[in-house]
Amino acid sequence: MNRDIKSFLGLKDNEWREPDGSIPDILSFGDYSSIPTKSGAYIIVATDGTKFIYPRGRSSVIYIGKAKSLKRRLTNHYKNSRGMSTMSLAQRLELWHYQRYQYIKEFGGSLHWYTTRGTQTPEKLEHDLLAYFYDKYYSLPVGNGAFPKFH
């Protein structure tokens, strides 16, 4: 498993499975044909090494989300992130409610996704990822609504 993903969740080797897939850079990746249409959850991590400050530590995680169709949702993230990257700062500031894309524009973003298995729902999978994150950092990721400082 990607060491960053495991460490941000505070997991031991036997507590979580490998991501089913990854994209190293949302902004430069354009071929989403390999992403499954299955449901699942995903994690977006800053690619430039930035670690955001939380009440109990630092993490490079920007956002944790869920999708009924990973392909459709992750393609949507790509389009919104690319659109944000072409805007001026003044234009971007008007879109404050899209903070996850602001973070991706500033710090880059890699995607790591997990498909649901058996009777697991995307909501439950996302909940588990957010719960691991919250238990470790006492906060949600910056793109999920928390507004921590960063260095």
Side-chain angles (χ1 to χ4, degrees):
M1 172 182 265
N2 178 317
R3 270 289 177 223
D4 293 332
I5 298 294
K6 185 177 283 185
S7 67
F8 96 78
L9 289 173
L11 299 173
K12 296 179 178 78
D13 286 337
N14 61 349
E15 289 183 313
W16 196 254
R17 61 185 164 114
E18 297 281 331
D20 294 318
S22 295
I23 294 172
D25 184 3
I26 296 170
L27 294 173
S28 66
F29 191 79
D31 180 15
Y32 281 70
S33 62
S34 63
I35 298 173
T37 57
K38 293 179 75 175
S39 64
Y42 55 92
I43 301 166
I44 300 175
V45 179
T47 56
D48 74 348
T50 297
K51 292 196 174 200
F52 307 99
I53 299 170
Y54 294 99
R56 286 191 47 195
R58 295 170 187 233
S59 175
S60 58
V61 172
I62 294 173
Y63 185 71
I64 296 173
K66 67 180 179 312
K68 290 182 181 176
S69 167
L70 284 165
K71 181 180 234 167
R72 184 174 56 240
R73 184 67 181 122
L74 298 179
T75 301
N76 183 269
H77 278 310
Y78 166 74
K79 289 176 183 174
N80 287 329
S81 298
R82 292 287 295 170
M84 188 74 67
S85 70
T86 63
M87 293 179 184
S88 70
L89 178 58
Q91 290 172 314
R92 287 188 7 242
L93 290 175
E94 292 179 17
L95 300 174
W96 61 269
H97 53 284
Y98 290 114
Q99 76 266 22
R100 72 189 69 127
Y101 303 120
Q102 304 278 8
Y103 281 98
I104 293 168
K105 167 28 178 129
E106 290 298 319
F107 307 108
S110 62
L111 280 167
H112 309 274
W113 68 84
Y114 300 88
T115 55
T116 54
R117 293 184 176 173
T119 59
Q120 184 180 47
T121 65
E123 293 80 11
K124 173 66 172 138
L125 184 54
E126 177 194 42
H127 173 271
D128 290 346
L129 289 168
L130 286 168
Y132 280 121
F133 189 91
Y134 192 88
D135 287 348
K136 180 167 182 165
Y137 297 106
Y138 286 4
S139 183
L140 295 174
V142 294
N144 288 81
F147 296 98
K149 297 178 183 176
F150 53 89
H151 67 70

PDB file of all heavy atoms in Angstrom, residues 17-36:
ATOM      1  N   ARG A  17      -6.767  -2.596   3.103  1.00  0.00           N
ATOM      2  CA  ARG A  17      -6.332  -3.180   1.848  1.00  0.00           C
ATOM      3  C   ARG A  17      -5.687  -2.143   0.934  1.00  0.00           C
ATOM      4  O   ARG A  17      -5.861  -0.946   1.119  1.00  0.00           O
ATOM      5  CB  ARG A  17      -7.511  -3.838   1.150  1.00  0.00           C
ATOM      6  CG  ARG A  17      -8.637  -2.875   0.809  1.00  0.00           C
ATOM      7  CD  ARG A  17      -9.817  -3.641   0.221  1.00  0.00           C
ATOM      8  NE  ARG A  17     -11.015  -2.863   0.219  1.00  0.00           N
ATOM      9  CZ  ARG A  17     -11.634  -2.455  -0.891  1.00  0.00           C
ATOM     10  NH1 ARG A  17     -11.157  -2.764  -2.070  1.00  0.00           N
ATOM     11  NH2 ARG A  17     -12.748  -1.766  -0.814  1.00  0.00           N
ATOM     12  N   GLU A  18      -4.997  -2.638  -0.042  1.00  0.00           N
ATOM     13  CA  GLU A  18      -4.379  -1.780  -1.050  1.00  0.00           C
ATOM     14  C   GLU A  18      -5.466  -1.037  -1.829  1.00  0.00           C
ATOM     15  O   GLU A  18      -6.551  -1.581  -2.035  1.00  0.00           O
ATOM     16  CB  GLU A  18      -3.601  -2.644  -2.054  1.00  0.00           C
ATOM     17  CG  GLU A  18      -2.446  -3.411  -1.474  1.00  0.00           C
ATOM     18  CD  GLU A  18      -1.233  -2.538  -1.281  1.00  0.00           C
ATOM     19  OE1 GLU A  18      -1.073  -1.574  -2.032  1.00  0.00           O
ATOM     20  OE2 GLU A  18      -0.467  -2.817  -0.355  1.00  0.00           O
ATOM     21  N   PRO A  19      -5.176   0.191  -2.279  1.00  0.00           N
ATOM     22  CA  PRO A  19      -6.145   0.846  -3.180  1.00  0.00           C
ATOM     23  C   PRO A  19      -6.316  -0.015  -4.438  1.00  0.00           C
ATOM     24  O   PRO A  19      -5.385  -0.684  -4.867  1.00  0.00           O
ATOM     25  CB  PRO A  19      -5.474   2.175  -3.520  1.00  0.00           C
ATOM     26  CG  PRO A  19      -4.462   2.393  -2.470  1.00  0.00           C
ATOM     27  CD  PRO A  19      -4.026   1.033  -2.012  1.00  0.00           C
ATOM     28  N   ASP A  20      -7.507   0.030  -5.006  1.00  0.00           N
ATOM     29  CA  ASP A  20      -7.751  -0.724  -6.237  1.00  0.00           C
ATOM     30  C   ASP A  20      -7.140  -0.029  -7.452  1.00  0.00           C
ATOM     31  O   ASP A  20      -7.001  -0.639  -8.507  1.00  0.00           O
ATOM     32  CB  ASP A  20      -9.255  -0.924  -6.443  1.00  0.00           C
ATOM     33  CG  ASP A  20      -9.852  -1.819  -5.363  1.00  0.00           C
ATOM     34  OD1 ASP A  20      -9.203  -2.830  -5.010  1.00  0.00           O
ATOM     35  OD2 ASP A  20     -10.942  -1.505  -4.865  1.00  0.00           O
ATOM     36  N   GLY A  21      -6.793   1.239  -7.302  1.00  0.00           N
ATOM     37  CA  GLY A  21      -6.167   1.974  -8.383  1.00  0.00           C
ATOM     38  C   GLY A  21      -5.731   3.348  -7.925  1.00  0.00           C
ATOM     39  O   GLY A  21      -6.170   3.839  -6.891  1.00  0.00           O
ATOM     40  N   SER A  22      -4.849   3.946  -8.716  1.00  0.00           N
ATOM     41  CA  SER A  22      -4.333   5.277  -8.392  1.00  0.00           C
ATOM     42  C   SER A  22      -4.029   6.056  -9.661  1.00  0.00           C
ATOM     43  O   SER A  22      -3.745   5.472 -10.703  1.00  0.00           O
ATOM     44  CB  SER A  22      -3.039   5.174  -7.577  1.00  0.00           C
ATOM     45  OG  SER A  22      -3.277   4.591  -6.331  1.00  0.00           O
ATOM     46  N   ILE A  23      -4.087   7.358  -9.536  1.00  0.00           N
ATOM     47  CA  ILE A  23      -3.675   8.279 -10.590  1.00  0.00           C
ATOM     48  C   ILE A  23      -2.704   9.253  -9.931  1.00  0.00           C
ATOM     49  O   ILE A  23      -3.058   9.901  -8.944  1.00  0.00           O
ATOM     50  CB  ILE A  23      -4.879   9.040 -11.178  1.00  0.00           C
ATOM     51  CG1 ILE A  23      -5.800   8.067 -11.906  1.00  0.00           C
ATOM     52  CG2 ILE A  23      -4.422  10.161 -12.098  1.00  0.00           C
ATOM     53  CD1 ILE A  23      -7.106   8.675 -12.357  1.00  0.00           C
ATOM     54  N   PRO A  24      -1.468   9.344 -10.435  1.00  0.00           N
ATOM     55  CA  PRO A  24      -0.461  10.156  -9.757  1.00  0.00           C
ATOM     56  C   PRO A  24      -0.719  11.660  -9.763  1.00  0.00           C
ATOM     57  O   PRO A  24      -0.316  12.348  -8.839  1.00  0.00           O
ATOM     58  CB  PRO A  24       0.837   9.831 -10.486  1.00  0.00           C
ATOM     59  CG  PRO A  24       0.446   9.153 -11.746  1.00  0.00           C
ATOM     60  CD  PRO A  24      -0.941   8.629 -11.585  1.00  0.00           C
ATOM     61  N   ASP A  25      -1.400  12.169 -10.780  1.00  0.00           N
ATOM     62  CA  ASP A  25      -1.624  13.618 -10.848  1.00  0.00           C
ATOM     63  C   ASP A  25      -2.921  13.912 -11.587  1.00  0.00           C
ATOM     64  O   ASP A  25      -3.022  13.703 -12.788  1.00  0.00           O
ATOM     65  CB  ASP A  25      -0.447  14.300 -11.544  1.00  0.00           C
ATOM     66  CG  ASP A  25      -0.557  15.810 -11.567  1.00  0.00           C
ATOM     67  OD1 ASP A  25      -1.514  16.373 -10.999  1.00  0.00           O
ATOM     68  OD2 ASP A  25       0.329  16.449 -12.165  1.00  0.00           O
ATOM     69  N   ILE A  26      -3.906  14.417 -10.863  1.00  0.00           N
ATOM     70  CA  ILE A  26      -5.218  14.718 -11.443  1.00  0.00           C
ATOM     71  C   ILE A  26      -5.095  15.721 -12.592  1.00  0.00           C
ATOM     72  O   ILE A  26      -5.735  15.573 -13.624  1.00  0.00           O
ATOM     73  CB  ILE A  26      -6.171  15.304 -10.381  1.00  0.00           C
ATOM     74  CG1 ILE A  26      -6.458  14.282  -9.295  1.00  0.00           C
ATOM     75  CG2 ILE A  26      -7.480  15.786 -11.016  1.00  0.00           C
ATOM     76  CD1 ILE A  26      -7.192  14.847  -8.108  1.00  0.00           C
ATOM     77  N   LEU A  27      -4.273  16.736 -12.412  1.00  0.00           N
ATOM     78  CA  LEU A  27      -4.213  17.830 -13.379  1.00  0.00           C
ATOM     79  C   LEU A  27      -3.559  17.446 -14.700  1.00  0.00           C
ATOM     80  O   LEU A  27      -3.852  18.043 -15.727  1.00  0.00           O
ATOM     81  CB  LEU A  27      -3.497  19.032 -12.772  1.00  0.00           C
ATOM     82  CG  LEU A  27      -4.228  19.677 -11.606  1.00  0.00           C
ATOM     83  CD1 LEU A  27      -3.363  20.751 -10.962  1.00  0.00           C
ATOM     84  CD2 LEU A  27      -5.562  20.252 -12.037  1.00  0.00           C
ATOM     85  N   SER A  28      -2.672  16.457 -14.705  1.00  0.00           N
ATOM     86  CA  SER A  28      -2.008  16.108 -15.962  1.00  0.00           C
ATOM     87  C   SER A  28      -2.518  14.802 -16.557  1.00  0.00           C
ATOM     88  O   SER A  28      -2.125  14.425 -17.646  1.00  0.00           O
ATOM     89  CB  SER A  28      -0.494  16.019 -15.748  1.00  0.00           C
ATOM     90  OG  SER A  28      -0.176  14.941 -14.903  1.00  0.00           O
ATOM     91  N   PHE A  29      -3.386  14.111 -15.858  1.00  0.00           N
ATOM     92  CA  PHE A  29      -3.893  12.828 -16.328  1.00  0.00           C
ATOM     93  C   PHE A  29      -5.181  13.063 -17.109  1.00  0.00           C
ATOM     94  O   PHE A  29      -6.047  13.784 -16.643  1.00  0.00           O
ATOM     95  CB  PHE A  29      -4.164  11.911 -15.138  1.00  0.00           C
ATOM     96  CG  PHE A  29      -4.445  10.496 -15.512  1.00  0.00           C
ATOM     97  CD1 PHE A  29      -3.401   9.652 -15.831  1.00  0.00           C
ATOM     98  CD2 PHE A  29      -5.731  10.006 -15.554  1.00  0.00           C
ATOM     99  CE1 PHE A  29      -3.643   8.331 -16.178  1.00  0.00           C
ATOM    100  CE2 PHE A  29      -5.985   8.694 -15.902  1.00  0.00           C
ATOM    101  CZ  PHE A  29      -4.939   7.851 -16.209  1.00  0.00           C
ATOM    102  N   GLY A  30      -5.302  12.498 -18.278  1.00  0.00           N
ATOM    103  CA  GLY A  30      -6.485  12.740 -19.077  1.00  0.00           C
ATOM    104  C   GLY A  30      -7.251  11.502 -19.473  1.00  0.00           C
ATOM    105  O   GLY A  30      -8.387  11.591 -19.925  1.00  0.00           O
ATOM    106  N   ASP A  31      -6.672  10.310 -19.305  1.00  0.00           N
ATOM    107  CA  ASP A  31      -7.315   9.080 -19.747  1.00  0.00           C
ATOM    108  C   ASP A  31      -7.927   8.348 -18.567  1.00  0.00           C
ATOM    109  O   ASP A  31      -7.246   7.644 -17.838  1.00  0.00           O
ATOM    110  CB  ASP A  31      -6.305   8.183 -20.452  1.00  0.00           C
ATOM    111  CG  ASP A  31      -6.926   6.882 -20.938  1.00  0.00           C
ATOM    112  OD1 ASP A  31      -8.167   6.789 -20.995  1.00  0.00           O
ATOM    113  OD2 ASP A  31      -6.156   5.965 -21.264  1.00  0.00           O
ATOM    114  N   TYR A  32      -9.204   8.531 -18.387  1.00  0.00           N
ATOM    115  CA  TYR A  32      -9.893   7.910 -17.267  1.00  0.00           C
ATOM    116  C   TYR A  32     -10.563   6.595 -17.651  1.00  0.00           C
ATOM    117  O   TYR A  32     -11.387   6.073 -16.921  1.00  0.00           O
ATOM    118  CB  TYR A  32     -10.908   8.894 -16.676  1.00  0.00           C
ATOM    119  CG  TYR A  32     -10.225   9.915 -15.791  1.00  0.00           C
ATOM    120  CD1 TYR A  32      -9.415  10.896 -16.325  1.00  0.00           C
ATOM    121  CD2 TYR A  32     -10.370   9.870 -14.415  1.00  0.00           C
ATOM    122  CE1 TYR A  32      -8.763  11.802 -15.510  1.00  0.00           C
ATOM    123  CE2 TYR A  32      -9.725  10.786 -13.596  1.00  0.00           C
ATOM    124  CZ  TYR A  32      -8.924  11.741 -14.157  1.00  0.00           C
ATOM    125  OH  TYR A  32      -8.280  12.630 -13.344  1.00  0.00           O
ATOM    126  N   SER A  33     -10.183   6.036 -18.806  1.00  0.00           N
ATOM    127  CA  SER A  33     -10.820   4.804 -19.272  1.00  0.00           C
ATOM    128  C   SER A  33     -10.502   3.605 -18.384  1.00  0.00           C
ATOM    129  O   SER A  33     -11.260   2.642 -18.356  1.00  0.00           O
ATOM    130  CB  SER A  33     -10.402   4.507 -20.715  1.00  0.00           C
ATOM    131  OG  SER A  33      -9.000   4.296 -20.792  1.00  0.00           O
ATOM    132  N   SER A  34      -9.408   3.651 -17.639  1.00  0.00           N
ATOM    133  CA  SER A  34      -9.045   2.511 -16.787  1.00  0.00           C
ATOM    134  C   SER A  34      -9.770   2.520 -15.444  1.00  0.00           C
ATOM    135  O   SER A  34      -9.703   1.560 -14.688  1.00  0.00           O
ATOM    136  CB  SER A  34      -7.537   2.505 -16.544  1.00  0.00           C
ATOM    137  OG  SER A  34      -7.150   3.667 -15.834  1.00  0.00           O
ATOM    138  N   ILE A  35     -10.473   3.603 -15.138  1.00  0.00           N
ATOM    139  CA  ILE A  35     -11.192   3.679 -13.865  1.00  0.00           C
ATOM    140  C   ILE A  35     -12.496   2.899 -13.994  1.00  0.00           C
ATOM    141  O   ILE A  35     -13.237   3.069 -14.959  1.00  0.00           O
ATOM    142  CB  ILE A  35     -11.477   5.144 -13.478  1.00  0.00           C
ATOM    143  CG1 ILE A  35     -10.173   5.895 -13.296  1.00  0.00           C
ATOM    144  CG2 ILE A  35     -12.310   5.218 -12.202  1.00  0.00           C
ATOM    145  CD1 ILE A  35     -10.331   7.377 -13.072  1.00  0.00           C
ATOM    146  N   PRO A  36     -12.786   2.060 -13.022  1.00  0.00           N
ATOM    147  CA  PRO A  36     -14.015   1.262 -13.116  1.00  0.00           C
ATOM    148  C   PRO A  36     -15.272   2.114 -12.922  1.00  0.00           C
ATOM    149  O   PRO A  36     -15.228   3.166 -12.288  1.00  0.00           O
ATOM    150  CB  PRO A  36     -13.866   0.254 -11.964  1.00  0.00           C
ATOM    151  CG  PRO A  36     -12.949   0.903 -10.996  1.00  0.00           C
ATOM    152  CD  PRO A  36     -12.026   1.772 -11.810  1.00  0.00           C
TER     153      PRO A  36
END
